[in-house]
Amino acid sequence: MIIRLKDGSEKEYAQPMSVLDIAKDISEGLARNACAGQVNGETVDLRTVVSEDSDLNILTFNDEEGKLAFRHTASHVLAQAVKRLYPEAKLAIGPAIEDGFYYDFDMASLTREDLDAIEKEMKKVIKENPPIERYELPREEAIAFMKEKDEPYKVELIEDLPEDATISFYKQGDFTDLCAGPHLMSVKPIKAFKLTASSGAYWRGNENNKMLTRIYGTAYTKKADLEERLKYLEEIKLRDHNRLGREMELFTTVDVIGQGLPLLLPKGAKIIQTLQRWIEDLEDNEWGYVRTKTPLMAKSDLYKISGHWDHYKEGMFVLGDEENDKEVLALRPMTCPFQYYCYKNTQKSYRDLPYRMSETSTLFRNEDSGEMHGLTRVRQFTISEGHLIIRPDQTNDELKGCLHLAQYCLGVLGVQDDVTYRLSKWDPNNKEKYLGDDEYWETTQDAIRNILVDQGVPFVEAEGEAAFYGPKIDIQAKNVYGKEDTMITIQLDCAIAENFDMYYIDQNGEKQRPYVIHRTSMGCYERTLAWLIEKYAGKFPTWLCPEQVRVLPISEKFADYAEEVNKELKRNGILSTVDNRSEKIGYKIREARLQKLPYMLVVGAQEQETGKVSVRSRFAGDEGQKGLKDFISAICEEIRTKEIRQEVEE
């Protein structure tokens, strides 16, 4: 057989060979570092035997798939240690994930001390270096084996596998687990690892299932890499919006109000207000939108026309009982069906299109309790929502316009380099979830794909992520822990106009069905605030700060001058306060810096006599004395242009 390697070279063998043996033939060093293999593009175990002409890539820890095999083996070491210390714990799943691994167990919750004890037991397992063996069992034998071991979650997993699935197990000393692999040849290389956290997780992510205990960990081949990762994890905790946003008094949550219903405190509300006014003025004055304001709820009749009742009802808050009440209402999960009736209020001709409607929309979605987190996943939220009613021949230009508006907003916020783009497509194997036929989906998906290609936007394609009525561009971003969320979406809908009898009169006086683009310009305000907290570690650009300037009199003697300065700042639209406390000036400055304020104006005898202020900023430290008018002119320009000044360390 001929084996074609990644570098284009070829190896010829007279008999079948395992991936590991081929690696040894290439280089003993490569074999020592090998984690898995890739045969004809498929990731396989090093134990896999190759028996015909194939393309082969030996994967090390430097390859993503190699890391996954390394860390998946580490997850089995974790499970083995847990079963030794907690024999009654039931095994669920333990995949490798980006930057680490986790394993879910049916057991009591754990403390940090418990995790330390499990780590200690993991080290014992690695020192023992038990051989790792892979074997397969027929379906009935596999089920009987796991029933005998009293592992109900494994039994359920096997029973859910397709009839023709290969059911494989990995045995590691006194521990055996149902697993597809791949795994390392030995646990010996796993020396630099750490269990990082423990939390609750519903079995299979369904809140109707039992809450399990999830243990997170990470593993590296080198201790230095692990230490660097752990240092990074400590640093990002300081950026976590759920922690930092509360510390900065931007938002809070209260049990008696409910999960996923955050309270925006004055500072957080001011930031949201600033963002909202910017977006509304931008859309209305520069991008040709008209503004609507529609109800927060509607009768079920509306959602039945739109298709949400059939496709999205479980995600809605329904008010009333369908069986007993004459009228059932629901809080709106989106604004589109409401805005369609704004469009239909007067007859439109082809000259009236595109008709771009925008609304600052408060929406309600019945998120699973296990999914909710801080400001990123909530049950009530507000978005910069819009719907463009267009002629089919306007599709290309209007999709581009929506993309350009979104990119402009990202640029102003300074996050344009922190996003990825996704073409979210339908799932052709689950057609009942969607409106339209194969041709409809291929045509609409091609329209969006062509826009992304034409604009030179790198993107990935994701099957099953489309809305039920059409494909979309999803602009994605990750939080500090690596979890990805959709920040902005642009959706093409060529079907819904029929449901609502929407039309325009064409050049020939005939009725024609328009297309609809559903889009956000900046997305959800709450999620964007969370993103910005983490992006800037709470040190927002000046234009977004809820407090832009704090005036600090050196002593009570200069309180009146400080108030005069403050009044002049406010007259110019600057968000400012005065710290008139009888504290030392050094203390006031330190406290202002801890609160991440962009500017402090220190005033004393000299400043009062000359009508100046001593400027301190987090951007340049001590900026010296400036005339008050000069300072106001400079900061107003910074706010107007939404400049993002670079900071310096003092």
Side-chain angles (χ1 to χ4, degrees):
M1 64 180 180
I2 295 174
I3 301 299
R4 293 173 293 274
L5 302 177
K6 187 179 180 181
D7 64 1
S9 62
E10 294 183 348
K11 290 275 188 179
E12 189 169 346
Y13 299 100
Q15 70 286 326
M17 298 270 282
S18 71
V19 173
L20 180 63
D21 287 337
I22 296 173
K24 286 178 179 177
D25 185 52
I26 297 169
S27 159
E28 286 292 337
L30 178 62
R32 280 194 303 273
N33 292 316
C35 296
Q38 215 165 45
V39 177
N40 298 324
E42 180 184 355
T43 303
V44 298
D45 200 289
L46 292 169
R47 300 164 183 80
T48 300
V49 174
V50 184
S51 58
E52 59 186 19
D53 293 357
S54 301
D55 295 324
L56 175 64
N57 182 19
I58 306 298
L59 302 170
T60 69
F61 192 79
N62 292 328
D63 301 294
E64 285 306 311
E65 293 294 330
K67 283 186 177 72
L68 292 176
F70 185 95
R71 288 167 173 159
H72 189 42
T73 306
S75 81
H76 276 222
V77 175
L78 163 61
Q80 185 172 4
V82 167
K83 289 293 282 186
R84 285 184 178 183
L85 297 176
Y86 304 90
E88 298 305 312
K90 305 303 177 192
L91 302 170
I93 58 171
I97 56 176
E98 187 177 3
D99 297 321
F101 59 89
Y102 70 79
Y103 210 112
D104 288 346
F105 303 92
D106 189 348
M107 64 187 299
S109 59
L110 300 169
T111 64
R112 181 65 247 180
E113 290 72 24
D114 295 329
L115 296 183
D116 292 340
I118 295 169
E119 275 185 17
K120 190 174 180 181
E121 192 64 32
M122 289 175 69
K123 290 176 182 176
K124 288 182 184 177
V125 171
I126 291 167
K127 188 174 182 180
E128 294 167 11
N129 193 24
I132 301 177
E133 306 167 37
R134 181 188 182 278
Y135 65 93
E136 298 173 7
L137 286 178
R139 186 186 203 84
E140 295 308 315
E141 286 185 37
I143 291 172
F145 176 67
M146 279 304 178
K147 282 184 175 178
E148 183 183 342
K149 284 187 163 292
D150 193 20
E151 296 289 357
Y153 299 99
K154 298 297 183 181
V155 172
E156 183 179 328
L157 290 172
I158 296 170
E159 289 176 340
D160 285 351
L161 289 172
E163 288 293 331
D164 59 349
T166 299
I167 302 173
S168 58
F169 295 82
Y170 279 80
K171 187 174 187 298
Q172 190 170 286
D174 58 5
F175 175 75
T176 303
D177 201 357
L178 170 74
C179 186
H183 280 266
L184 302 180
M185 298 300 293
S186 158
V187 300
K188 191 175 180 180
I190 306 170
K191 294 179 180 177
F193 68 90
K194 183 71 178 177
L195 299 183
T196 54
S198 176
S199 67
Y202 291 111
W203 169 234
R204 292 188 153 181
N206 187 335
E207 66 175 341
N208 297 316
N209 291 337
K210 188 167 184 180
M211 176 73 78
L212 306 178
T213 295
R214 175 170 295 179
I215 302 175
Y216 287 97
T218 191
Y220 289 83
T221 55
K222 299 174 184 175
K223 187 177 179 181
D225 291 340
L226 174 64
E227 289 175 348
E228 183 179 340
R229 174 64 181 171
L230 296 178
K231 181 181 178 183
Y232 170 74
L233 290 175
E234 286 302 313
E235 289 174 352
I236 65 174
K237 285 180 184 177
L238 302 177
R239 289 178 175 263
D240 181 356
H241 88 275
N242 207 18
R243 171 181 172 178
L244 186 55
R246 295 171 195 271
E247 289 176 357
M248 294 181 67
E249 298 181 2
L250 301 177
F251 76 95
T252 189
T253 51
V254 181
D255 287 344
V256 295
I257 291 175
Q259 193 178 9
L261 298 169
L263 299 174
L264 287 171
L265 301 173
K267 293 178 183 178
K270 175 56 72 174
I271 296 174
I272 295 291
Q273 182 189 59
T274 301
L275 288 169
Q276 182 178 322
R277 286 176 173 174
W278 165 54
I279 289 294
E280 288 180 352
D281 288 345
L282 180 70
E283 291 176 338
D284 298 353
N285 299 333
E286 299 179 37
W287 289 82
Y289 284 81
V290 293
R291 190 150 299 279
T292 65
K293 186 172 178 60
T294 56
L296 300 181
M297 66 180 79
K299 295 193 298 183
S300 60
D301 306 52
L302 178 70
Y303 305 116
K304 289 173 182 175
I305 297 170
S306 68
H308 290 103
W309 204 253
D310 293 332
H311 295 275
Y312 202 80
K313 183 181 172 184
E314 64 182 23
M316 297 166 64
F317 289 102
V318 177
L319 310 176
D321 185 334
E322 286 186 86
E323 294 184 5
N324 299 314
D325 296 338
K326 289 182 179 179
E327 188 172 83
V328 174
L329 297 134
L331 298 177
R332 64 180 184 186
M334 58 280 296
T335 309
C336 42
F338 298 84
Q339 287 197 326
Y340 298 155
Y341 284 98
C342 293
Y343 171 83
K344 282 166 61 71
N345 186 56
T346 58
Q347 182 171 284
K348 306 291 191 300
S349 83
Y350 69 96
R351 294 188 183 90
D352 297 314
L353 304 188
Y355 190 74
R356 307 183 188 102
M357 294 174 286
S358 187
E359 183 165 331
T360 301
S361 305
T362 298
L363 306 177
F364 306 86
R365 295 185 185 173
N366 193 8
E367 298 283 1
D368 291 338
S369 59
E371 291 292 315
M372 287 181 286
H373 174 72
L375 296 176
T376 58
R377 185 77 66 171
V378 292
R379 284 177 168 159
Q380 176 184 310
F381 56 95
T382 302
I383 66 172
S384 56
E385 193 169 18
H387 297 90
L388 291 76
I389 314 301
I390 62 174
R391 302 192 309 263
D393 64 286
Q394 295 170 326
T395 302
N396 194 61
D397 287 343
E398 292 303 312
L399 281 173
K400 281 183 185 177
C402 291
L403 179 61
H404 292 163
L405 174 56
Q407 291 174 325
Y408 173 78
C409 293
L410 293 171
V412 171
L413 294 173
V415 293
Q416 68 275 17
D417 296 329
D418 303 330
V419 299
T420 57
Y421 293 79
R422 183 178 77 189
L423 167 52
S424 294
K425 306 190 295 185
W426 79 323
D427 180 358
N429 298 314
N430 196 5
K431 296 180 181 180
E432 66 275 6
K433 283 178 57 179
Y434 305 94
L435 300 177
D437 56 17
D438 290 44
E439 183 181 358
Y440 170 82
W441 283 93
E442 289 304 318
T443 301
T444 52
Q445 287 170 180
D446 281 346
I448 287 185
R449 186 182 292 110
N450 292 340
I451 291 294
L452 292 168
V453 171
D454 178 70
Q455 296 300 297
V457 176
F459 66 97
V460 297
E461 300 192 12
E463 203 166 86
E465 294 294 333
F468 68 83
Y469 45 75
K472 51 183 178 163
I473 299 170
D474 283 328
I475 302 179
Q476 308 287 109
K478 292 181 179 179
N479 68 11
V480 290
Y481 296 106
K483 184 180 182 301
E484 189 172 87
D485 284 306
T486 300
M487 307 309 295
I488 296 173
T489 187
I490 302 165
Q491 306 169 2
L492 178 60
D493 181 351
C494 304
I496 203 69
E498 184 76 29
N499 295 30
F500 285 89
D501 191 27
M502 296 165 64
Y503 65 87
Y504 65 93
I505 305 300
D506 69 9
Q507 296 94 318
N508 301 316
E510 301 290 331
K511 289 184 177 181
Q512 301 294 341
R513 296 294 183 203
Y515 290 172
V516 178
I517 297 175
H518 310 242
R519 50 99 272 182
T520 54
S521 51
M522 190 193 64
C524 168
Y525 286 99
E526 289 85 354
R527 186 174 288 178
T528 298
L529 176 56
W531 190 15
L532 295 173
I533 292 170
E534 295 184 351
K535 166 72 176 180
Y536 292 108
K539 296 180 179 180
F540 304 107
T542 302
W543 73 278
L544 276 176
C545 287
E547 184 181 356
Q548 294 160 337
V549 179
R550 185 173 294 177
V551 185
L552 309 176
I554 289 175
S555 70
E556 292 178 5
K557 291 190 296 183
F558 309 106
D560 289 344
Y561 180 60
E563 288 294 347
E564 288 177 24
V565 169
N566 188 45
K567 286 179 182 176
E568 191 60 28
L569 293 169
K570 286 182 175 296
R571 272 196 291 270
N572 285 274
I574 299 163
L575 301 175
S576 61
T577 62
V578 179
D579 186 348
N580 269 325
R581 295 174 300 165
S582 56
E583 300 283 356
K584 291 183 178 179
I585 191 65
Y587 177 84
K588 292 181 180 180
I589 291 172
R590 283 193 299 275
E591 192 170 78
R593 289 182 63 188
L594 286 173
Q595 292 180 21
K596 309 180 192 304
L597 301 184
Y599 291 99
M600 295 160 274
L601 302 184
V602 180
V603 295
Q606 192 175 13
E607 288 80 12
Q608 183 172 284
E609 289 173 10
T610 59
K612 293 184 176 182
V613 290
S614 290
V615 181
R616 294 186 64 87
S617 74
R618 67 164 192 251
F619 312 109
D622 187 350
E623 296 191 17
Q625 282 194 351
K626 294 183 180 180
L628 180 56
K629 287 185 178 180
D630 292 337
F631 171 77
I632 289 174
S633 176
I635 191 174
C636 284
E637 181 67 7
E638 182 183 339
I639 292 168
R640 184 188 68 79
T641 60
K642 299 176 176 56
E643 179 185 356
I644 302 175
R645 284 190 71 181
Q646 297 302 308
E647 297 184 16
V648 296
E649 293 292 334
E650 286 192 82

